[in-house]
Amino acid sequence: MRNIHWNFSILRHSILRQAAMISFAAFTLAAGMCAGSGAAALAAPAGAGTPAASPASMGVSSGHDLDALWKSAGKDFDLSKHDAVLLLESARVTILGGGARRTTIHRVVWIGTDVGIDTHADLRVPWNSATSTFSVTKLRTWRDGRWWPDETRVSPTAVVETLPFAVALADDYSAMRETMLLHDGVGIPCIMETEYTIEETAPGPGGADGFFLLACREPAVLVEYLVEVPGGAPFAFHSGNGAPAPAESPNPQPSGAAVNGGMKTYRWSVERSGGLGFPRIADASSYAPYASWSTWKDWDDPGDLFAKCFDKAASIEGALADTLSSRLAFEPADAAKAAKIASLVSEWTRPVHCDSRLRLFSPRPAARVYETAYGDALDRAVLAAAMMRAAGLEARPVFRSAELGGVDAGVAGFSRFGEVFVCVTGDRFDAVYDPLESSLMTRPGMNWGRTVWKPGTGKAPQLRPDPEVAAAGSS
């Protein structure tokens, strides 16, 4: 029976592969028949895997000529060698009052295989409904010379707001959302377009920062990143790993933006990007072109604000303090106390794996984390720091760069860092506490090659090249 099932699987795979090739050949044949139909046609260059032509036109979308991008895809790339090719990967960030932001993602991608469908057809977008709104303006598929399901209308059944599984049993995180964007009319080959906007409605923290890779997993005809900032706001930026300098231009103030002094746009763009490939061994930000920016005045601005919010939440009293004291009664050494506290956090709370950077300046109080018996990285760090401090240890929040190497010294903010850790110092003891694992890292050289930032200390991030450095907080 196993051999019969195995042979049937091979036969099914062969049939599906032949059907896909026949469909692709028919699509290409239609391209040749329509090649002379004028400007409205999508001219298909000769060669294997060239884009299909259509007597209809995809038109212009948000200022981009989709037919021209499609033609460039066939000229610049051999589509028979790729699962997908991005015609357009665009992100636009508009800074509103107080550092709040509006982010619009616009993606147009050609799909050539099942892998391409799995990667791009059904998207999951995380966002915080307590502080933001989410809207979809385009969700359509170009196939057989038309847009599916409709050229202008987004199907209401294609946008599904869900609660992430990770927070299903964590009521305090119920504002976290994961909206699924489901494309209709998908086939092989086809072109899918997605455009959505996340706008923060809560008052901004006073500044903003961002980071964007100007390269994608797949080859791309055009990758662009636009940042719109108030004309009088401080703005620092950096183009890394060979990325071009941004083009700067003034533009009218966007509707609904409560800012003064008009707006200024910075636009980074890369054409004919070869793609990063997959899987990747190293973090792409260590070698791929990128753009980073910030409206914070310096590192003290975001650091002091975060430390203030963290310290306010990281305190315990009453029954929790008494319980902690009794559990530490037989742990005289600071190292033993820190290890016991890490064990207690693991015993008393379960980790919730959601992106705490969506609520970076709103940690829950340590007592609430203990009461609910769960926490994400930020909240578990708060609880651990509160308990460490109650035990007489020094405990400060610390960030480590996600990749090896330095960060851009003149571009302040959190975009180049991952989740928060806790730097713990005591008598002849230094360690870094990992809140998701609820473990202490004490091995020498654990931060070698990474950039470490302790917000609220008045110091800028520092690259730790010395393998003998035992902890993020050591001098």
Side-chain angles (χ1 to χ4, degrees), residues 107 109 111 114-125 139 141 157-160 178-186 192-194 196:
R107 179 179 298 121
V109 57
I111 299 298
D114 287 334
V115 174
I117 290 179
D118 292 342
T119 305
H120 295 282
D122 296 336
L123 307 177
R124 296 175 180 268
V125 184
L139 191 63
T141 303
T157 60
V159 181
V160 182
E178 190 174 71
T179 295
M180 297 184 64
L181 304 180
L182 312 175
H183 283 84
D184 293 327
V186 175
M192 298 188 301
E193 181 177 17
T194 307
Y196 61 87

Side-chain angles (χ1 to χ4, degrees), residues 169-471:
L169 299 178
D171 291 350
D172 284 2
Y173 302 144
S174 60
M176 298 298 173
R177 291 289 186 271
E178 190 174 71
T179 295
M180 297 184 64
L181 304 180
L182 312 175
H183 283 84
D184 293 327
V186 175
I188 299 176
C190 67
I191 294 174
M192 298 188 301
E193 181 177 17
T194 307
E195 188 177 50
Y196 61 87
T197 299
I198 300 175
E199 181 170 346
E200 296 178 355
T201 56
D209 56 272
F211 176 86
F212 187 79
L213 280 176
L214 294 166
C216 306
R217 167 176 164 172
E218 296 87 0
V221 177
L222 175 62
V223 181
E224 68 171 8
Y225 186 48
L226 301 96
V227 182
E228 297 176 333
V229 297
F235 188 76
F237 65 85
H238 178 76
S239 301
N241 295 333
E248 303 178 23
S249 61
N251 61 297
Q253 182 170 313
S255 60
V259 297
N260 297 315
M263 302 292 286
K264 189 172 185 178
T265 298
Y266 297 81
R267 179 179 182 267
W268 287 265
S269 64
V270 173
E271 298 180 357
R272 296 179 294 279
S273 171
L276 298 173
F278 186 83
R280 294 192 295 270
I281 298 176
D283 191 289
S285 60
S286 64
Y287 60 89
Y290 69 84
S292 62
W293 58 271
S294 173
T295 64
W296 299 103
K297 184 177 64 174
D298 52 35
W299 287 97
D300 287 344
D301 271 10
D304 291 347
L305 177 60
F306 175 81
K308 178 181 178 181
C309 297
F310 187 94
D311 291 344
K312 181 179 179 181
S315 62
I316 59 173
E317 57 185 14
L320 176 55
D322 294 339
T323 300
L324 176 63
S325 179
S326 64
R327 296 294 292 267
L328 296 180
F330 300 100
E331 307 292 349
D334 285 353
K337 290 179 181 178
K340 184 64 175 181
I341 289 172
S343 175
L344 291 175
V345 173
S346 179
E347 175 186 340
W348 292 343
T349 66
R350 59 181 173 85
V352 176
H353 295 270
C354 63
D355 191 351
S356 64
R357 291 173 295 183
L358 294 174
R359 42 178 290 274
L360 194 59
F361 298 103
S362 304
R364 296 188 299 155
R368 179 60 181 171
V369 180
Y370 173 76
E371 177 186 353
T372 58
Y374 60 78
D376 59 9
L378 176 61
D379 288 347
R380 277 185 134 198
V382 164
L383 177 59
M387 294 166 66
M388 299 281 187
R389 292 172 180 178
L393 302 170
E394 181 182 348
R396 289 184 174 274
V398 63
F399 290 89
R400 305 193 310 164
S401 60
E403 72 284 350
L404 297 176
V407 301
D408 314 317
V411 183
F414 300 90
S415 299
R416 298 297 300 276
F417 299 94
E419 295 282 11
V420 65
F421 291 75
V422 179
C423 177
V424 185
T425 304
D427 181 25
R428 293 179 293 178
F429 173 74
D430 293 292
V432 172
Y433 173 77
D434 181 341
L436 285 178
E437 297 293 334
S438 197
S439 61
L440 290 170
M441 298 181 290
T442 58
R443 66 184 185 275
M446 62 185 170
N447 289 314
W448 181 81
R450 296 186 183 274
T451 299
V452 174
W453 180 35
K454 294 170 61 176
T457 62
K459 296 181 180 179
Q462 297 177 342
L463 178 64
R464 296 301 178 93
D466 185 357
E468 297 302 320
V469 175

Side-chain angles (χ1 to χ4, degrees), residues 21-93:
M21 294 299 294
I22 293 172
S23 175
F24 189 82
F27 206 48
T28 307
L29 178 61
M33 296 174 62
C34 301
S37 59
L42 299 178
T50 51
S54 170
S57 170
M58 287 185 284
V60 176
S61 180
S62 298
H64 295 282
D65 186 336
L66 300 187
D67 298 323
L69 292 172
W70 177 223
K71 184 176 180 180
S72 295
K75 179 181 177 183
D76 299 332
F77 306 107
D78 183 354
L79 300 188
S80 66
K81 297 181 179 180
H82 300 288
D83 298 312
V85 171
L86 288 158
L87 309 187
L88 173 68
E89 178 72 13
S90 175
R92 178 187 294 269
V93 180

